[in-house]
Amino acid sequence: MGKHAAGAHIVWDWNGTLFHDNDAVISATNAAFEEVGLEPITLERYRELYCVPIPRFYQRLMGRLPTEAEWERMDIAFQRHYTLHRTACRLADGAELLLADWSSAGRSQSILSMYGHDELVPLVREFGIESHFLRVDGRTGPSGGSKAEHMVRHLGALAGAGVAPGCTVVIGDAADDAVAALHAGARAVLYTGGSHSRASLEGVGAPVVDTLAEAVGLAERLAV
């Protein structure tokens, strides 16, 4: 990659973007559904309907919002089964090289995920990629919400390192990644390899790509 956008910063999403965990997500989702008697869902159906806040996703399948007790049971089941199945998952194809190339070009990057912080940090470390990032932030507090306010805090924490929202591109696999980017004054590129179908992503207004290499190429041009 060229070096004309040295101030460019990428905020990477983790689940479904850098971390290819679709199989674990579907297994855990179906375990959660079993808690309230819902039929199993396919990856294709999941990607058509998935949205945040997560209870709204469940509403699309149940015809109503889950009760507080149902949500708690489903969330516990999801987290337990996801932890079991994630061990078989790996980084997305080409992710390690893209991270290394972006860093070697003198640009910065970070991770902001709605995966629990205490689970995320050791997992990133396990893959040997932690040194590429200025920050690795996972969710603190309840699960199931939007990334928008987390993004504001994440970029605020990076301001001292010279990261400006206007020179930042968020790369993620969910419509909420674009919403969070806009909320924080950044831009977004959305990737079709994770939780959303191309059709559901194209309605958001951000560029949509099929590979992480395309996403990084767009980020280089947008973050100037």
Side-chain angles (χ1 to χ4, degrees):
M1 290 185 289
K3 298 190 177 183
H4 64 277
H9 181 83
I10 290 175
V11 177
W12 291 95
D13 175 53
W14 180 250
N15 303 93
T17 304
L18 285 178
F19 189 46
H20 187 66
D21 61 348
N22 290 348
D23 290 344
V25 168
I26 293 303
S27 295
T29 298
N30 285 330
F33 286 177
E34 189 175 355
E35 291 289 320
V36 293
L38 288 175
E39 292 295 317
I41 193 172
T42 64
L43 175 60
E44 290 71 25
R45 183 68 170 155
Y46 177 94
R47 296 176 78 238
E48 288 173 5
L49 296 177
Y50 178 77
C51 64
V52 294
I54 303 299
R56 191 184 305 161
F57 168 53
Y58 292 155
Q59 181 182 26
R60 292 181 173 185
L61 293 154
M62 301 172 72
R64 61 174 176 81
L65 284 170
T67 66
E68 187 174 335
E70 287 172 332
W71 162 251
E72 185 175 353
R73 284 164 49 205
M74 294 170 82
D75 190 45
I76 290 171
F78 180 93
Q79 301 300 338
R80 182 175 67 250
H81 284 268
Y82 179 83
T83 298
L84 289 173
H85 289 283
R86 78 173 191 199
T87 56
C89 300
R90 296 292 178 263
L91 294 178
D93 288 345
E96 290 173 89
L97 182 59
L98 289 169
L99 295 173
D101 283 352
W102 188 263
S103 292
S104 66
R107 305 185 186 98
S108 61
Q109 51 199 327
S110 59
I111 292 176
L112 176 62
S113 173
M114 295 303 284
Y115 189 40
H117 184 77
D118 290 343
E119 292 77 31
L120 173 66
V121 171
L123 187 54
V124 172
R125 190 171 295 146
E126 181 181 312
F127 281 109
I129 58 174
E130 185 182 21
S131 63
H132 293 305
F133 306 109
L134 293 180
R135 289 185 68 88
V136 175
D137 287 335
R139 172 186 50 79
T140 56
S143 62
S146 173
K147 188 180 276 187
E149 293 303 327
H150 296 269
M151 186 67 70
V152 172
R153 288 194 294 272
H154 182 75
L155 291 180
L158 288 168
V163 173
C167 294
T168 297
V169 175
V170 177
I171 297 179
D173 68 315
D176 190 53
D177 290 303
V179 172
L182 179 63
H183 185 73
R187 301 187 185 188
V189 176
L190 300 178
Y191 163 62
T192 63
S195 62
H196 279 43
S197 66
R198 171 174 276 277
S200 63
L201 292 176
E202 285 178 337
V204 179
V208 178
V209 298
D210 295 320
T211 70
L212 292 184
E214 291 176 276
V216 170
L218 264 178
E220 184 181 15
R221 296 195 292 274
L222 289 172
V224 295

